[in-house]
Amino acid sequence: MLELRDLTEQDAHAVRRIYTGRAVADMWFGQMTSAQAHDYVCESMASNYASPRTLHVLGIDLDGDLIGVVRLRTTGSIGHLAYILRENTWGYGYATAAVRLLLGGTTVPLVTAEHRVGNPASGRVLAKAGFVQIDATADLVRYEIATSNQTSATERQNRQRSQESRVMGPSRIRSST
């Protein structure tokens, strides 16, 4: 079963494996070192306690195996989505399922995403998840989606309080996909 969950310190090695090879070929920072992976996990764990929480970094867990990471950074009423999967898990629909799960739990009315022109598979993931292409440059293709979770601020706060009180441990969002 695929689920999204908060990262833990034990995930540093798996995060390093995710951020290697062709998965990071188009990224400015390249492959992660062990120290960078550890720092990344610690920073994502710290973001869980920020108030307001503007960064959501969730592991994409497939039957106990961390195969990727999905991130949502929010600014006001807009979220920006990013994701990465370990190379040996590409092509099975896991990225699309993870993006859909994240979108189903977000409270921001608009989410944006982008991918490098040289990575059309990422564009297919976004399109399958319901994103619409809004712009393209020589380097980047930009997308957005209006989420179906457009509720009042009071409803969002109540839902967030309910989720926080219900999920005292790691956040988990599950799919049968």
Side-chain angles (χ1 to χ4, degrees):
M1 176 184 336
L2 185 87
E3 69 178 359
L4 302 182
R5 63 170 178 79
D6 288 332
L7 296 177
T8 67
E9 280 190 67
Q10 292 76 27
D11 291 324
H13 178 71
V15 166
R16 184 175 182 277
R17 286 183 55 218
I18 292 163
Y19 282 87
T20 60
R22 290 189 313 154
V24 295
D26 289 333
M27 295 185 181
W28 63 270
F29 53 82
Q31 296 189 129
M32 275 191 183
T33 65
S34 294
Q36 289 169 326
H38 180 265
D39 290 348
Y40 179 91
V41 168
C42 289
E43 288 171 14
S44 75
M45 291 170 52
S47 73
N48 296 341
Y49 301 101
S51 182
R53 186 174 179 185
T54 58
L55 177 62
H56 303 265
V57 181
L58 299 170
I60 304 170
D61 189 298
L62 179 66
D63 299 325
D65 183 15
L66 188 69
I67 64 167
V69 176
V70 63
R71 299 168 45 108
L72 184 69
R73 181 176 300 279
T74 58
T75 306
S77 61
I78 298 175
H80 185 76
L81 172 79
Y83 54 88
I84 185 170
L85 285 181
R86 199 173 61 217
E87 187 177 344
N88 69 331
T89 63
W90 294 354
Y92 295 98
Y94 301 137
T96 302
V99 168
R100 286 178 177 157
L101 281 171
L102 185 72
L103 291 175
T106 188
T107 57
V108 293
L110 182 69
V111 177
T112 65
E114 61 190 29
H115 70 84
R116 300 246 181 231
V117 170
N119 184 5
S122 196
R124 290 189 296 274
V125 165
L126 294 170
K128 288 177 189 174
F131 280 78
V132 175
Q133 182 179 331
I134 58 166
D135 186 25
T137 67
D139 298 324
L140 294 173
V141 184
R142 293 184 179 89
Y143 296 79
E144 68 180 28
I145 187 171
T147 67
S148 60
N149 301 322
Q150 296 181 18
T151 57
S152 71
T154 303
E155 289 174 306
R156 285 195 301 269
Q157 288 172 346
N158 289 340
R159 183 170 46 196
Q160 183 175 4
R161 282 190 202 114
S162 172
Q163 288 174 343
E164 288 172 353
S165 65
R166 184 173 39 107
V167 183
M168 296 303 288
S171 296
R172 294 195 181 272
I173 306 170
R174 294 188 172 142
S175 168
S176 58
T177 306

